[in-house]
Amino acid sequence: MSESICEFMHAKDYNLNIKAVTFVYEKGFHTLSQPFFYSLYRLHLVTNGTAVLKTGYGSYELKKGDVFFAFPASFYEMEGSEDLSYMYINFMGMGVPSLLEELDVSDKMPVYYNFDHLIDFWQSALARITSANSNILTESVLLYTLSFMGSNQEKEPEKKPADTAFEAILGYLDEHYRDSDISLKKISSVFSYTEKYLSLMFKKNMKVGFRTYLNRLRIQYAHELIESGITSVSQIASMCGYYDALYFSKVFKKQRGVTPSEYIKSR
């Protein structure tokens, strides 16, 4: 006598309206220009090699089988091994923010570990794509992968106290990088570390000094302000924490290759 297995589900009217836009197998990572910046959500699956993902919230080590998210209008960078390859799906939709919130997926926790079992599934799905099935197949892969997020996700390896402390520092900086008086000295007084130790922590964890990291946060915010429609360079500089609009313009050009005025005109 056969046995049936029945699972009852709570009825939910998600009205997800999620649309998968592209499904790509990226094998030429080292030819790409950085930092990355996209207008859509992007779900990645590492298929080979290792990498370090750098976002405004910290650095994350990646390996084969790890999944990570990129969020609209957010910059990120990657340092990858020679054999790094990954697949990704770009997606969008009005229901995406609420769904990701329910799954505990956020830009502060963008990486999920040990999903090696998805690699064959993703690869076989991409191999089967045709013009007739591309939408439903890509969205199926996206939703199936998202089903592993949330409470059933693989946890990040336990962090050391020093790592946890540095995350707290990054969180504080994320809240205060727009303050004109933010400095390594001020942060050292808040967290009771010496400036020298903090400087070493930034270079070790972020691969850049404190000032460089602070400027990256501020210029990213400046970019978002311009995209929102603000066109006054002096106003943008002040809102980003810079006293001197000229210095702000120099920093912006160093990071983006154009002055803020030139960028505003191009928009």
Side-chain angles (χ1 to χ4, degrees), residues 169 172-173 182-191 198 210:
I169 291 170
Y172 178 84
L173 186 57
I182 192 68
S183 65
L184 205 58
K185 181 178 181 179
K186 183 173 182 177
I187 295 175
S188 68
S189 65
V190 171
F191 288 91
L198 283 178
F210 168 78

Side-chain angles (χ1 to χ4, degrees), residues 1-258:
M1 182 176 179
S2 62
E3 294 183 359
S4 297
I5 299 176
C6 180
E7 293 286 347
F8 289 94
M9 297 171 288
H10 297 290
K12 291 186 178 181
D13 182 14
Y14 277 113
N15 188 24
L16 294 179
N17 189 28
I18 294 178
K19 178 176 178 57
V21 180
T22 52
F23 192 175
V24 176
Y25 200 157
E26 183 58 72
K27 297 183 178 181
F29 163 75
H30 292 285
T31 65
L32 304 176
S33 59
Q34 299 196 52
F36 300 116
F37 180 86
Y38 303 103
S39 60
L40 304 176
Y41 293 90
R42 179 173 286 197
L43 174 62
H44 307 72
L45 174 62
V46 180
T47 56
N48 198 48
T50 60
V52 176
L53 170 68
K54 300 178 181 179
T55 75
Y57 293 97
S59 296
Y60 310 84
E61 294 184 0
L62 302 171
K63 65 182 185 308
K64 180 180 178 180
D66 291 344
V67 169
F68 67 98
F69 290 82
F71 295 80
S74 295
F75 289 94
Y76 68 98
E77 296 180 285
M78 292 174 62
E79 294 179 357
S81 60
E82 289 297 324
D83 58 344
L84 176 66
S85 62
Y86 55 86
M87 307 177 76
Y88 65 83
I89 296 175
N90 285 332
F91 62 103
M92 59 186 294
M94 295 294 293
V96 173
S98 59
L99 176 60
L100 295 186
E101 181 179 0
E102 181 168 330
L103 296 175
D104 292 327
V105 175
S106 71
D107 49 3
K108 294 182 179 179
M109 191 174 67
V111 181
Y112 300 85
Y113 300 87
N114 304 322
F115 288 95
D116 303 66
H117 61 281
L118 291 178
I119 295 177
D120 287 342
F121 175 63
W122 278 51
Q123 291 176 335
S124 62
L126 189 59
R128 289 183 50 231
I129 282 185
T130 66
S131 58
N133 69 15
S134 60
N135 288 339
I136 189 171
L137 189 55
T138 302
E139 289 175 16
S140 296
V141 173
L142 172 64
L143 294 175
Y144 180 71
T145 302
L146 289 174
S147 73
F148 288 96
M149 304 295 103
S151 61
N152 294 324
Q153 71 197 17
E154 292 286 346
K155 301 298 183 181
E156 183 178 358
E158 186 175 351
K159 296 175 181 177
K160 300 176 182 178
D163 296 331
T164 303
F166 189 69
E167 284 187 355
I169 291 170
L170 290 179
Y172 178 84
L173 186 57
D174 185 63
E175 294 293 327
H176 296 278
Y177 69 87
R178 295 178 295 272
D179 298 349
S180 59
D181 63 341
I182 192 68
S183 65
L184 205 58
K185 181 178 181 179
K186 183 173 182 177
I187 295 175
S188 68
S189 65
V190 171
F191 288 91
S192 300
Y193 289 114
T194 66
E195 292 181 50
K196 182 178 181 180
Y197 180 71
L198 283 178
S199 180
L200 291 174
M201 288 180 72
F202 269 94
K203 290 179 180 178
K204 176 184 177 181
N205 290 277
M206 309 308 294
K207 310 304 180 185
V208 295
F210 168 78
R211 178 57 59 179
T212 298
Y213 183 75
L214 175 62
N215 281 331
R216 285 181 179 177
L217 290 179
R218 287 176 165 178
I219 298 306
Q220 176 178 326
Y221 183 56
H223 191 282
E224 294 171 1
L225 292 175
I226 293 172
E227 291 294 328
S228 72
I230 299 177
T231 58
S232 169
V233 174
S234 60
Q235 181 182 1
I236 295 170
S238 177
M239 293 174 69
C240 293
Y242 292 101
Y243 287 114
D244 187 346
L246 180 59
Y247 175 70
F248 160 69
S249 296
K250 291 180 179 178
V251 175
F252 190 100
K253 183 174 183 179
K254 183 177 180 180
Q255 290 195 27
R256 297 288 180 262
V258 294

